[in-house]
PDB file of all heavy atoms in Angstrom:
ATOM      1  N   ALA A   1     -14.360 -19.811  -3.613  1.00  0.00           N
ATOM      2  CA  ALA A   1     -15.287 -20.769  -3.459  1.00  0.00           C
ATOM      3  C   ALA A   1     -16.630 -20.301  -2.833  1.00  0.00           C
ATOM      4  O   ALA A   1     -17.656 -20.793  -3.082  1.00  0.00           O
ATOM      5  CB  ALA A   1     -14.803 -21.935  -2.552  1.00  0.00           C
ATOM      6  N   VAL A   2     -16.514 -19.241  -2.027  1.00  0.00           N
ATOM      7  CA  VAL A   2     -17.680 -18.649  -1.361  1.00  0.00           C
ATOM      8  C   VAL A   2     -18.308 -17.471  -2.149  1.00  0.00           C
ATOM      9  O   VAL A   2     -19.249 -16.896  -1.793  1.00  0.00           O
ATOM     10  CB  VAL A   2     -17.452 -18.244   0.101  1.00  0.00           C
ATOM     11  CG1 VAL A   2     -17.051 -19.334   0.984  1.00  0.00           C
ATOM     12  CG2 VAL A   2     -16.371 -17.165   0.161  1.00  0.00           C
ATOM     13  N   GLY A   3     -17.756 -17.258  -3.332  1.00  0.00           N
ATOM     14  CA  GLY A   3     -18.306 -16.275  -4.174  1.00  0.00           C
ATOM     15  C   GLY A   3     -17.603 -15.029  -4.592  1.00  0.00           C
ATOM     16  O   GLY A   3     -18.110 -14.171  -5.222  1.00  0.00           O
ATOM     17  N   ALA A   4     -16.362 -14.959  -4.255  1.00  0.00           N
ATOM     18  CA  ALA A   4     -15.513 -13.805  -4.579  1.00  0.00           C
ATOM     19  C   ALA A   4     -15.320 -13.742  -6.128  1.00  0.00           C
ATOM     20  O   ALA A   4     -15.043 -14.677  -6.678  1.00  0.00           O
ATOM     21  CB  ALA A   4     -14.298 -13.680  -3.860  1.00  0.00           C
ATOM     22  N   ARG A   5     -15.447 -12.470  -6.663  1.00  0.00           N
ATOM     23  CA  ARG A   5     -15.210 -12.474  -8.034  1.00  0.00           C
ATOM     24  C   ARG A   5     -13.758 -12.131  -8.376  1.00  0.00           C
ATOM     25  O   ARG A   5     -12.998 -11.793  -7.417  1.00  0.00           O
ATOM     26  CB  ARG A   5     -16.126 -11.328  -8.679  1.00  0.00           C
ATOM     27  CG  ARG A   5     -17.580 -11.642  -8.489  1.00  0.00           C
ATOM     28  CD  ARG A   5     -18.408 -10.507  -9.019  1.00  0.00           C
ATOM     29  NE  ARG A   5     -18.224  -9.540  -7.874  1.00  0.00           N
ATOM     30  CZ  ARG A   5     -18.377  -8.184  -8.039  1.00  0.00           C
ATOM     31  NH1 ARG A   5     -18.807  -7.643  -9.206  1.00  0.00           N
ATOM     32  NH2 ARG A   5     -18.198  -7.375  -7.067  1.00  0.00           N
ATOM     33  N   ARG A   6     -13.345 -12.221  -9.605  1.00  0.00           N
ATOM     34  CA  ARG A   6     -11.953 -11.952 -10.016  1.00  0.00           C
ATOM     35  C   ARG A   6     -11.629 -10.482  -9.626  1.00  0.00           C
ATOM     36  O   ARG A   6     -10.500 -10.182  -9.125  1.00  0.00           O
ATOM     37  CB  ARG A   6     -11.789 -12.072 -11.507  1.00  0.00           C
ATOM     38  CG  ARG A   6     -11.694 -13.513 -11.816  1.00  0.00           C
ATOM     39  CD  ARG A   6     -11.356 -13.699 -13.367  1.00  0.00           C
ATOM     40  NE  ARG A   6     -11.154 -15.025 -13.705  1.00  0.00           N
ATOM     41  CZ  ARG A   6     -10.671 -15.421 -14.746  1.00  0.00           C
ATOM     42  NH1 ARG A   6     -10.267 -14.580 -15.751  1.00  0.00           N
ATOM     43  NH2 ARG A   6     -10.442 -16.763 -15.087  1.00  0.00           N
ATOM     44  N   ALA A   7     -12.620  -9.584  -9.834  1.00  0.00           N
ATOM     45  CA  ALA A   7     -12.351  -8.049  -9.507  1.00  0.00           C
ATOM     46  C   ALA A   7     -12.098  -7.978  -7.957  1.00  0.00           C
ATOM     47  O   ALA A   7     -11.315  -7.025  -7.576  1.00  0.00           O
ATOM     48  CB  ALA A   7     -13.483  -7.218  -9.984  1.00  0.00           C
ATOM     49  N   ASP A   8     -12.807  -8.748  -7.150  1.00  0.00           N
ATOM     50  CA  ASP A   8     -12.580  -8.641  -5.765  1.00  0.00           C
ATOM     51  C   ASP A   8     -11.288  -8.985  -5.378  1.00  0.00           C
ATOM     52  O   ASP A   8     -10.587  -8.378  -4.466  1.00  0.00           O
ATOM     53  CB  ASP A   8     -13.646  -9.475  -4.930  1.00  0.00           C
ATOM     54  CG  ASP A   8     -15.076  -9.115  -5.294  1.00  0.00           C
ATOM     55  OD1 ASP A   8     -15.326  -7.899  -5.480  1.00  0.00           O
ATOM     56  OD2 ASP A   8     -15.888  -9.995  -5.233  1.00  0.00           O
ATOM     57  N   ILE A   9     -10.836 -10.088  -5.845  1.00  0.00           N
ATOM     58  CA  ILE A   9      -9.417 -10.616  -5.629  1.00  0.00           C
ATOM     59  C   ILE A   9      -8.357  -9.732  -6.068  1.00  0.00           C
ATOM     60  O   ILE A   9      -7.381  -9.307  -5.395  1.00  0.00           O
ATOM     61  CB  ILE A   9      -9.149 -12.022  -6.099  1.00  0.00           C
ATOM     62  CG1 ILE A   9     -10.304 -12.952  -5.682  1.00  0.00           C
ATOM     63  CG2 ILE A   9      -7.800 -12.489  -5.867  1.00  0.00           C
ATOM     64  CD1 ILE A   9     -10.148 -13.409  -4.308  1.00  0.00           C
ATOM     65  N   MET A  10      -8.681  -9.159  -7.228  1.00  0.00           N
ATOM     66  CA  MET A  10      -7.537  -8.260  -7.842  1.00  0.00           C
ATOM     67  C   MET A  10      -7.552  -6.881  -7.051  1.00  0.00           C
ATOM     68  O   MET A  10      -6.396  -6.435  -6.673  1.00  0.00           O
ATOM     69  CB  MET A  10      -8.038  -8.002  -9.213  1.00  0.00           C
ATOM     70  CG  MET A  10      -6.921  -7.232 -10.084  1.00  0.00           C
ATOM     71  SD  MET A  10      -6.832  -7.934 -11.706  1.00  0.00           S
ATOM     72  CE  MET A  10      -5.722  -6.809 -12.409  1.00  0.00           C
ATOM     73  N   ARG A  11      -8.651  -6.435  -6.620  1.00  0.00           N
ATOM     74  CA  ARG A  11      -8.784  -5.188  -5.895  1.00  0.00           C
ATOM     75  C   ARG A  11      -8.067  -5.493  -4.560  1.00  0.00           C
ATOM     76  O   ARG A  11      -7.363  -4.497  -4.137  1.00  0.00           O
ATOM     77  CB  ARG A  11     -10.253  -4.828  -5.671  1.00  0.00           C
ATOM     78  CG  ARG A  11     -10.419  -3.411  -4.960  1.00  0.00           C
ATOM     79  CD  ARG A  11     -11.921  -3.079  -4.822  1.00  0.00           C
ATOM     80  NE  ARG A  11     -12.724  -3.256  -6.048  1.00  0.00           N
ATOM     81  CZ  ARG A  11     -13.702  -4.085  -6.245  1.00  0.00           C
ATOM     82  NH1 ARG A  11     -13.987  -4.850  -5.150  1.00  0.00           N
ATOM     83  NH2 ARG A  11     -14.399  -4.124  -7.290  1.00  0.00           N
ATOM     84  N   GLN A  12      -8.151  -6.572  -3.875  1.00  0.00           N
ATOM     85  CA  GLN A  12      -7.598  -6.791  -2.509  1.00  0.00           C
ATOM     86  C   GLN A  12      -6.080  -6.721  -2.720  1.00  0.00           C
ATOM     87  O   GLN A  12      -5.480  -5.976  -1.846  1.00  0.00           O
ATOM     88  CB  GLN A  12      -7.971  -8.172  -2.170  1.00  0.00           C
ATOM     89  CG  GLN A  12      -7.299  -8.522  -0.814  1.00  0.00           C
ATOM     90  CD  GLN A  12      -7.498 -10.027  -0.446  1.00  0.00           C
ATOM     91  OE1 GLN A  12      -8.225 -10.719  -1.059  1.00  0.00           O
ATOM     92  NE2 GLN A  12      -6.631 -10.534   0.464  1.00  0.00           N
ATOM     93  N   PHE A  13      -5.530  -7.342  -3.776  1.00  0.00           N
ATOM     94  CA  PHE A  13      -4.122  -7.378  -3.799  1.00  0.00           C
ATOM     95  C   PHE A  13      -3.514  -6.057  -4.250  1.00  0.00           C
ATOM     96  O   PHE A  13      -2.450  -5.687  -3.879  1.00  0.00           O
ATOM     97  CB  PHE A  13      -3.711  -8.527  -4.697  1.00  0.00           C
ATOM     98  CG  PHE A  13      -3.567  -9.923  -3.946  1.00  0.00           C
ATOM     99  CD1 PHE A  13      -4.774 -10.685  -4.141  1.00  0.00           C
ATOM    100  CD2 PHE A  13      -2.642 -10.207  -3.125  1.00  0.00           C
ATOM    101  CE1 PHE A  13      -4.805 -11.852  -3.392  1.00  0.00           C
ATOM    102  CE2 PHE A  13      -2.685 -11.351  -2.386  1.00  0.00           C
ATOM    103  CZ  PHE A  13      -3.725 -12.234  -2.559  1.00  0.00           C
ATOM    104  N   LEU A  14      -4.245  -5.274  -5.175  1.00  0.00           N
ATOM    105  CA  LEU A  14      -3.737  -4.002  -5.607  1.00  0.00           C
ATOM    106  C   LEU A  14      -3.731  -2.981  -4.390  1.00  0.00           C
ATOM    107  O   LEU A  14      -2.849  -2.269  -4.292  1.00  0.00           O
ATOM    108  CB  LEU A  14      -4.534  -3.505  -6.840  1.00  0.00           C
ATOM    109  CG  LEU A  14      -4.289  -4.247  -8.130  1.00  0.00           C
ATOM    110  CD1 LEU A  14      -5.266  -3.576  -9.193  1.00  0.00           C
ATOM    111  CD2 LEU A  14      -2.904  -4.012  -8.493  1.00  0.00           C
ATOM    112  N   ILE A  15      -4.815  -3.018  -3.705  1.00  0.00           N
ATOM    113  CA  ILE A  15      -4.865  -2.123  -2.471  1.00  0.00           C
ATOM    114  C   ILE A  15      -3.810  -2.432  -1.558  1.00  0.00           C
ATOM    115  O   ILE A  15      -3.044  -1.519  -0.997  1.00  0.00           O
ATOM    116  CB  ILE A  15      -6.208  -2.222  -1.772  1.00  0.00           C
ATOM    117  CG1 ILE A  15      -7.320  -1.618  -2.729  1.00  0.00           C
ATOM    118  CG2 ILE A  15      -6.311  -1.529  -0.470  1.00  0.00           C
ATOM    119  CD1 ILE A  15      -8.759  -1.776  -2.183  1.00  0.00           C
ATOM    120  N   GLU A  16      -3.516  -3.726  -1.255  1.00  0.00           N
ATOM    121  CA  GLU A  16      -2.465  -4.176  -0.410  1.00  0.00           C
ATOM    122  C   GLU A  16      -1.115  -3.746  -0.949  1.00  0.00           C
ATOM    123  O   GLU A  16      -0.309  -3.169  -0.056  1.00  0.00           O
ATOM    124  CB  GLU A  16      -2.468  -5.717  -0.311  1.00  0.00           C
ATOM    125  CG  GLU A  16      -1.890  -6.243   0.916  1.00  0.00           C
ATOM    126  CD  GLU A  16      -2.152  -7.761   0.961  1.00  0.00           C
ATOM    127  OE1 GLU A  16      -3.274  -8.128   1.119  1.00  0.00           O
ATOM    128  OE2 GLU A  16      -1.198  -8.512   0.912  1.00  0.00           O
ATOM    129  N   SER A  17      -0.858  -3.897  -2.142  1.00  0.00           N
ATOM    130  CA  SER A  17       0.510  -3.534  -2.606  1.00  0.00           C
ATOM    131  C   SER A  17       0.688  -2.019  -2.612  1.00  0.00           C
ATOM    132  O   SER A  17       1.777  -1.518  -2.403  1.00  0.00           O
ATOM    133  CB  SER A  17       0.684  -4.163  -4.094  1.00  0.00           C
ATOM    134  OG  SER A  17      -0.097  -3.537  -4.966  1.00  0.00           O
ATOM    135  N   SER A  18      -0.359  -1.341  -3.016  1.00  0.00           N
ATOM    136  CA  SER A  18      -0.153   0.250  -2.913  1.00  0.00           C
ATOM    137  C   SER A  18      -0.059   0.714  -1.513  1.00  0.00           C
ATOM    138  O   SER A  18       0.687   1.661  -1.306  1.00  0.00           O
ATOM    139  CB  SER A  18      -1.345   0.867  -3.746  1.00  0.00           C
ATOM    140  OG  SER A  18      -2.530   0.631  -3.123  1.00  0.00           O
ATOM    141  N   LEU A  19      -0.799   0.170  -0.648  1.00  0.00           N
ATOM    142  CA  LEU A  19      -0.618   0.674   0.806  1.00  0.00           C
ATOM    143  C   LEU A  19       0.701   0.229   1.332  1.00  0.00           C
ATOM    144  O   LEU A  19       1.318   1.015   2.088  1.00  0.00           O
ATOM    145  CB  LEU A  19      -1.799   0.056   1.694  1.00  0.00           C
ATOM    146  CG  LEU A  19      -3.050   0.512   1.438  1.00  0.00           C
ATOM    147  CD1 LEU A  19      -4.126  -0.262   2.337  1.00  0.00           C
ATOM    148  CD2 LEU A  19      -3.016   2.006   1.939  1.00  0.00           C
ATOM    149  N   LEU A  20       1.226  -0.920   1.031  1.00  0.00           N
ATOM    150  CA  LEU A  20       2.542  -1.359   1.505  1.00  0.00           C
ATOM    151  C   LEU A  20       3.658  -0.349   0.863  1.00  0.00           C
ATOM    152  O   LEU A  20       4.450   0.077   1.700  1.00  0.00           O
ATOM    153  CB  LEU A  20       2.924  -2.813   1.028  1.00  0.00           C
ATOM    154  CG  LEU A  20       2.353  -3.835   1.986  1.00  0.00           C
ATOM    155  CD1 LEU A  20       2.546  -5.207   1.368  1.00  0.00           C
ATOM    156  CD2 LEU A  20       2.937  -3.792   3.445  1.00  0.00           C
ATOM    157  N   SER A  21       3.572   0.012  -0.322  1.00  0.00           N
ATOM    158  CA  SER A  21       4.572   0.815  -0.913  1.00  0.00           C
ATOM    159  C   SER A  21       4.359   2.255  -0.468  1.00  0.00           C
ATOM    160  O   SER A  21       5.330   2.999  -0.293  1.00  0.00           O
ATOM    161  CB  SER A  21       4.602   0.639  -2.428  1.00  0.00           C
ATOM    162  OG  SER A  21       3.294   1.114  -2.897  1.00  0.00           O
ATOM    163  N   ALA A  22       3.200   2.718  -0.284  1.00  0.00           N
ATOM    164  CA  ALA A  22       2.908   4.033   0.208  1.00  0.00           C
ATOM    165  C   ALA A  22       3.491   4.264   1.550  1.00  0.00           C
ATOM    166  O   ALA A  22       3.999   5.271   1.967  1.00  0.00           O
ATOM    167  CB  ALA A  22       1.461   4.384   0.040  1.00  0.00           C
ATOM    168  N   SER A  23       3.268   3.307   2.507  1.00  0.00           N
ATOM    169  CA  SER A  23       3.694   3.294   3.789  1.00  0.00           C
ATOM    170  C   SER A  23       5.252   3.338   3.859  1.00  0.00           C
ATOM    171  O   SER A  23       5.908   4.019   4.671  1.00  0.00           O
ATOM    172  CB  SER A  23       3.145   2.181   4.754  1.00  0.00           C
ATOM    173  OG  SER A  23       3.487   0.982   4.221  1.00  0.00           O
ATOM    174  N   GLY A  24       5.851   2.561   2.983  1.00  0.00           N
ATOM    175  CA  GLY A  24       7.267   2.719   2.811  1.00  0.00           C
ATOM    176  C   GLY A  24       7.698   4.074   2.373  1.00  0.00           C
ATOM    177  O   GLY A  24       8.773   4.563   2.780  1.00  0.00           O
ATOM    178  N   GLY A  25       6.842   4.689   1.384  1.00  0.00           N
ATOM    179  CA  GLY A  25       7.202   5.992   1.022  1.00  0.00           C
ATOM    180  C   GLY A  25       7.202   7.046   2.067  1.00  0.00           C
ATOM    181  O   GLY A  25       7.929   7.933   2.241  1.00  0.00           O
ATOM    182  N   PHE A  26       6.033   6.892   2.940  1.00  0.00           N
ATOM    183  CA  PHE A  26       5.935   7.828   4.096  1.00  0.00           C
ATOM    184  C   PHE A  26       7.172   7.610   5.033  1.00  0.00           C
ATOM    185  O   PHE A  26       7.620   8.677   5.623  1.00  0.00           O
ATOM    186  CB  PHE A  26       4.734   7.519   4.955  1.00  0.00           C
ATOM    187  CG  PHE A  26       3.476   8.237   4.303  1.00  0.00           C
ATOM    188  CD1 PHE A  26       2.350   7.435   3.925  1.00  0.00           C
ATOM    189  CD2 PHE A  26       3.437   9.623   4.148  1.00  0.00           C
ATOM    190  CE1 PHE A  26       1.277   7.989   3.336  1.00  0.00           C
ATOM    191  CE2 PHE A  26       2.269  10.122   3.678  1.00  0.00           C
ATOM    192  CZ  PHE A  26       1.142   9.371   3.198  1.00  0.00           C
ATOM    193  N   LEU A  27       7.495   6.397   5.291  1.00  0.00           N
ATOM    194  CA  LEU A  27       8.655   6.159   6.183  1.00  0.00           C
ATOM    195  C   LEU A  27       9.955   6.750   5.528  1.00  0.00           C
ATOM    196  O   LEU A  27      10.755   7.416   6.226  1.00  0.00           O
ATOM    197  CB  LEU A  27       9.029   4.707   6.400  1.00  0.00           C
ATOM    198  CG  LEU A  27       7.908   4.063   7.381  1.00  0.00           C
ATOM    199  CD1 LEU A  27       8.264   2.490   7.351  1.00  0.00           C
ATOM    200  CD2 LEU A  27       8.024   4.697   8.770  1.00  0.00           C
ATOM    201  N   GLY A  28      10.123   6.679   4.249  1.00  0.00           N
ATOM    202  CA  GLY A  28      11.308   7.231   3.578  1.00  0.00           C
ATOM    203  C   GLY A  28      11.402   8.741   3.635  1.00  0.00           C
ATOM    204  O   GLY A  28      12.267   9.436   3.886  1.00  0.00           O
ATOM    205  N   VAL A  29      10.064   9.348   3.365  1.00  0.00           N
ATOM    206  CA  VAL A  29      10.043  10.830   3.570  1.00  0.00           C
ATOM    207  C   VAL A  29      10.263  11.297   4.805  1.00  0.00           C
ATOM    208  O   VAL A  29      11.071  12.303   5.208  1.00  0.00           O
ATOM    209  CB  VAL A  29       8.631  11.301   3.138  1.00  0.00           C
ATOM    210  CG1 VAL A  29       8.343  12.724   3.536  1.00  0.00           C
ATOM    211  CG2 VAL A  29       8.430  11.040   1.611  1.00  0.00           C
ATOM    212  N   ALA A  30       9.813  10.588   5.900  1.00  0.00           N
ATOM    213  CA  ALA A  30      10.089  10.915   7.425  1.00  0.00           C
ATOM    214  C   ALA A  30      11.527  10.845   7.664  1.00  0.00           C
ATOM    215  O   ALA A  30      12.184  11.736   8.274  1.00  0.00           O
ATOM    216  CB  ALA A  30       9.290  10.029   8.366  1.00  0.00           C
ATOM    217  N   LEU A  31      12.202   9.796   7.171  1.00  0.00           N
ATOM    218  CA  LEU A  31      13.671   9.616   7.401  1.00  0.00           C
ATOM    219  C   LEU A  31      14.417  10.756   6.667  1.00  0.00           C
ATOM    220  O   LEU A  31      15.352  11.367   7.311  1.00  0.00           O
ATOM    221  CB  LEU A  31      14.058   8.268   6.946  1.00  0.00           C
ATOM    222  CG  LEU A  31      15.520   7.962   7.165  1.00  0.00           C
ATOM    223  CD1 LEU A  31      15.860   7.905   8.688  1.00  0.00           C
ATOM    224  CD2 LEU A  31      15.911   6.541   6.512  1.00  0.00           C
ATOM    225  N   ALA A  32      13.945  11.105   5.439  1.00  0.00           N
ATOM    226  CA  ALA A  32      14.711  12.106   4.776  1.00  0.00           C
ATOM    227  C   ALA A  32      14.466  13.448   5.398  1.00  0.00           C
ATOM    228  O   ALA A  32      15.391  14.262   5.470  1.00  0.00           O
ATOM    229  CB  ALA A  32      14.217  12.220   3.285  1.00  0.00           C
ATOM    230  N   TRP A  33      13.253  13.714   5.971  1.00  0.00           N
ATOM    231  CA  TRP A  33      12.974  14.925   6.656  1.00  0.00           C
ATOM    232  C   TRP A  33      13.832  15.138   7.898  1.00  0.00           C
ATOM    233  O   TRP A  33      14.421  16.166   8.194  1.00  0.00           O
ATOM    234  CB  TRP A  33      11.513  15.036   6.977  1.00  0.00           C
ATOM    235  CG  TRP A  33      11.167  16.335   7.634  1.00  0.00           C
ATOM    236  CD1 TRP A  33      11.185  17.627   6.935  1.00  0.00           C
ATOM    237  CD2 TRP A  33      10.734  16.548   8.902  1.00  0.00           C
ATOM    238  NE1 TRP A  33      10.647  18.485   7.907  1.00  0.00           N
ATOM    239  CE2 TRP A  33      10.497  17.935   9.161  1.00  0.00           C
ATOM    240  CE3 TRP A  33      10.515  15.702   9.943  1.00  0.00           C
ATOM    241  CZ2 TRP A  33      10.057  18.376  10.258  1.00  0.00           C
ATOM    242  CZ3 TRP A  33      10.048  16.119  11.266  1.00  0.00           C
ATOM    243  CH2 TRP A  33       9.873  17.552  11.350  1.00  0.00           C
ATOM    244  N   LEU A  34      13.909  13.964   8.645  1.00  0.00           N
ATOM    245  CA  LEU A  34      14.832  13.994   9.941  1.00  0.00           C
ATOM    246  C   LEU A  34      16.281  14.240   9.506  1.00  0.00           C
ATOM    247  O   LEU A  34      17.069  14.986  10.142  1.00  0.00           O
ATOM    248  CB  LEU A  34      14.634  12.728  10.634  1.00  0.00           C
ATOM    249  CG  LEU A  34      13.274  12.529  11.400  1.00  0.00           C
ATOM    250  CD1 LEU A  34      13.167  11.190  11.943  1.00  0.00           C
ATOM    251  CD2 LEU A  34      13.145  13.595  12.413  1.00  0.00           C
ATOM    252  N   LEU A  35      16.707  13.620   8.430  1.00  0.00           N
ATOM    253  CA  LEU A  35      18.078  13.817   7.990  1.00  0.00           C
ATOM    254  C   LEU A  35      18.274  15.303   7.593  1.00  0.00           C
ATOM    255  O   LEU A  35      19.353  15.888   7.876  1.00  0.00           O
ATOM    256  CB  LEU A  35      18.431  12.797   6.940  1.00  0.00           C
ATOM    257  CG  LEU A  35      19.840  12.831   6.480  1.00  0.00           C
ATOM    258  CD1 LEU A  35      20.729  12.307   7.490  1.00  0.00           C
ATOM    259  CD2 LEU A  35      20.033  11.960   5.180  1.00  0.00           C
ATOM    260  N   THR A  36      17.311  15.928   6.946  1.00  0.00           N
ATOM    261  CA  THR A  36      17.393  17.259   6.490  1.00  0.00           C
ATOM    262  C   THR A  36      17.472  18.257   7.775  1.00  0.00           C
ATOM    263  O   THR A  36      18.262  19.160   7.729  1.00  0.00           O
ATOM    264  CB  THR A  36      16.232  17.689   5.651  1.00  0.00           C
ATOM    265  OG1 THR A  36      16.164  16.786   4.545  1.00  0.00           O
ATOM    266  CG2 THR A  36      16.316  19.106   5.203  1.00  0.00           C
ATOM    267  N   LEU A  37      16.658  17.869   8.817  1.00  0.00           N
ATOM    268  CA  LEU A  37      16.800  18.665   9.972  1.00  0.00           C
ATOM    269  C   LEU A  37      18.220  18.540  10.624  1.00  0.00           C
ATOM    270  O   LEU A  37      18.693  19.616  11.058  1.00  0.00           O
ATOM    271  CB  LEU A  37      15.687  18.239  11.004  1.00  0.00           C
ATOM    272  CG  LEU A  37      14.260  18.593  10.729  1.00  0.00           C
ATOM    273  CD1 LEU A  37      13.330  17.827  11.682  1.00  0.00           C
ATOM    274  CD2 LEU A  37      14.102  20.116  10.648  1.00  0.00           C
TER     275      LEU A  37
END
């Protein structure tokens, strides 16, 4: 309503989903590294 375009909304959710999954990936890698140690 205040002027955000479709691309703005789409970009927001794509960045959010990729950051959430990448942070989960970092946590998984850290856990695997500790298990390897």
Side-chain angles (χ1 to χ4, degrees):
V2 296
R5 296 170 293 158
R6 284 184 177 193
D8 298 330
I9 304 291
M10 192 140 172
R11 187 178 310 115
Q12 173 190 350
F13 283 99
L14 286 178
I15 289 171
E16 200 171 299
S17 67
S18 63
L19 284 177
L20 279 172
S21 60
S23 63
F26 278 121
L27 286 173
V29 165
L31 183 65
W33 184 67
L34 289 173
L35 189 63
T36 302
L37 288 177

